[in-house]
Every structure is written in structure tokens, then in C-alpha cells.
């Protein structure tokens, strides 16, 4: 399926700056997980479980971030669900062009409850963030896509995020530098009658 218009066309609450920030964080964590699982002892299982755990942890960290009031963690279970400006999302590791984990399209109880509040089913009933990899450990490439499904689980929206760099947004935040004065070692005077201390030169280690 070809790319459609931006998700905000289908759901105005999904503002571009919100989705860009969220997708950037997801992509960065995914690259970090791949980089940390490239030893000879890593298998597809360890890479998959590490990635899942990192993404689950990311959702918990972002949900507590006071600078992101538009993002909430609504469900911390295995099918962890975040709310982006009131719109529910699940993160899935799968190829949106060749979906194999079809069970992840189905609305979970939290999403079902939200859908029950509508008199008529919305154009997009469930939203997913899909992560897919080229499976190349030397030159890994991860694609992040936002996919929206209708009530019949057909793809209505497919939008790919453009990764800016491998660094996380929060990792790029600069902290103020602290100037630390180098302390000079001192030793007590051997003369027991005085408490004075004598300086010694810098010690080369």
C-alpha cells in the first residue's frame, strides 16, 4: 500500500510535532537496542525481547515526563498503550507492508472502551506505531510508520516517519557545565607540635 496523507488529516488531534517527537524517541530507542544486541551470543530472541523491553520502558519514561503533557501511558501491561493528545497508540514490531502480527490490529480492552463512546465508528478505529528493520546487523535501518485501521481492520492511513538521526531527543539535551577546581593533595606536618599542613606538588598517576 502506498503512503497516505499525514495522520492529522484523519485525526486532527495528531499534530505533526507530537507524532514527530514520539516517533523520533521510538526510533532512537530501537537503534540503541539493536546496537546493544550485536554480540555473537545474541539471537533473534534476545534482540526481540530487548527491543520490546526498551520500548515498554520508553513508554513509562515518556509518560512521566512533565514536559510532554500531551503524552500519557494509559496501559502498562504487555500490550502497553500510550495516549498522544488523547489518541490511543500501541507500538508493534512488524512490517506495515506485510503485517504478520494480525492479532495486534485488534483493539485491546482500553481501546474497545474508547470506541464504545462513539455513536458511529470513526474512520480510524485503532492506531499503531510500526517498527520494521532490514535485519542487517552491520548497517541496520529501522523504519517507523503510523498506521490507522478502520472497523474492519483495513489500513486507512499509512504514514512513514523520517528519522533525523540516531540520537534520542532527550539524549541531545545539553546540561550546564560545572567547573570543578582540581584539589591539591596535602599532608600533615611531621612536627607533632603544629597542625599546619604543607602543600605538595601535583601527583602524576
Amino acid at each position: 500500500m502506498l503512503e497516505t496523507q499525514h495522520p492529522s488529516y484523519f485525526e486532527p488531534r495528531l499534530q505533526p510535532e507530537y507524532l514527530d517527537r514520539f516517533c523520533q524517541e521510538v526510533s532512537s530507542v530501537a537503534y540503541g537496542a539493536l546496537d546493544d544486541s550485536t554480540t555473537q551470543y545474541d539471537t533473534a530472541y534476545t534482540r526481540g525481547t530487548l527491543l520490546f523491553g526498551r520500548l515498554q520502558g520508553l513508554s513509562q519514561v515518556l509518560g512521566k515526563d512533565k514536559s510532554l503533557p500531551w503524552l500519557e501511558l494509559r496501559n502498562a501491561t504487555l500490550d502497553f498503550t500510550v495516549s498522544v493528545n488523547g489518541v490511543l497508540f500501541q507500538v508493534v514490531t512488524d512490517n506495515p507492508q506485510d503485517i504478520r502480527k494480525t492479532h495486534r490490529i485488534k483493539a485491546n480492552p482500553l481501546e474497545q472502551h474508547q470506541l464504545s463512546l462513539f455513536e458511529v465508528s470513526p474512520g480510524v478505529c485503532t492506531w499503531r506505531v510500526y517498527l520494521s528493520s532490514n535485519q542487517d546487523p552491520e548497517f541496520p535501518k529501522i523504519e517507523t510508520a503510523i498506521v490507522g485501521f478502520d472497523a474492519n481492520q483495513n489500513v486507512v492511513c499509512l504514514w512513514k516517519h523520517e528519522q533525523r538521526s540516531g540520537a534520542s531527543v532527550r539524549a541531545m539535551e545539553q546540561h550546564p557545565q560545572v567547573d570543578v577546581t582540581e584539589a591539591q593533595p596535602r599532608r600533615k606536618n611531621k612536627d607533632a607540635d603544629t597542625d599546619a599542613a604543607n602543600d605538595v606538588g601535583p601527583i602524576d598517576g
Side-chain angles (χ1 to χ4, degrees):
M1 178 179 179
L2 297 177
E3 267 192 84
T4 63
Q5 292 170 294
H6 190 273
S8 59
Y9 173 82
F10 304 92
E11 173 51 79
R13 289 177 293 174
L14 296 178
Q15 298 180 29
E17 59 268 29
Y18 294 163
L19 290 185
D20 182 66
R21 174 65 186 271
F22 182 54
C23 289
Q24 182 73 13
E25 293 284 356
V26 168
S27 299
S28 299
V29 166
Y31 273 110
L34 285 181
D35 188 54
D36 291 340
S37 57
T38 55
T39 71
Q40 60 180 324
Y41 309 110
D42 287 301
T43 63
Y45 176 80
T46 60
R47 286 188 288 271
T49 53
L50 177 62
L51 176 57
F52 175 82
R54 291 280 178 87
L55 292 172
Q56 187 180 41
L58 173 68
S59 68
Q60 296 171 359
V61 171
L62 294 181
K64 297 176 183 178
D65 193 331
K66 301 299 184 182
S67 69
L68 304 174
W70 45 268
L71 195 150
E72 297 179 81
L73 176 60
R74 299 290 302 279
N75 177 22
T77 58
L78 291 178
D79 58 343
F80 59 92
T81 310
V82 299
S83 170
V84 177
N85 204 25
V87 181
L88 299 179
F89 277 90
Q90 291 185 49
V91 182
V92 184
T93 54
D94 201 356
N95 184 350
Q97 301 284 8
D98 182 23
I99 297 175
R100 298 186 179 184
K101 300 178 181 179
T102 54
H103 62 286
R104 295 299 305 274
I105 301 175
K106 184 179 179 181
N108 65 15
L110 181 63
E111 292 168 320
Q112 290 174 4
H113 172 70
Q114 188 181 65
L115 289 171
S116 69
L117 303 178
F118 290 91
E119 293 185 5
V120 180
S121 295
V124 177
C125 292
T126 55
W127 290 94
R128 299 291 180 264
V129 179
Y130 277 93
L131 279 174
S132 56
S133 170
N134 61 356
Q135 304 298 325
D136 186 343
E138 291 191 33
F139 304 100
K141 179 175 175 56
I142 291 176
E143 289 189 347
T144 308
I146 301 290
V147 182
F149 299 90
D150 65 14
N152 296 317
Q153 300 183 4
N154 297 313
V155 176
V156 177
C157 173
L158 173 60
W159 174 79
K160 293 183 179 180
H161 173 255
E162 292 294 332
Q163 176 77 2
R164 292 192 301 273
S165 69
S168 168
V169 175
R170 61 185 59 250
M172 292 188 290
E173 293 176 353
Q174 298 296 319
H175 299 279
Q177 291 184 343
V178 178
D179 293 330
V180 180
T181 303
E182 183 178 355
Q184 296 296 327
R186 301 169 67 90
R187 63 169 175 243
K188 287 186 177 180
N189 196 313
K190 293 182 180 179
D191 189 347
D193 295 331
T194 179
D195 292 331
N198 294 333
D199 288 340
V200 296
I203 299 175
D204 294 330

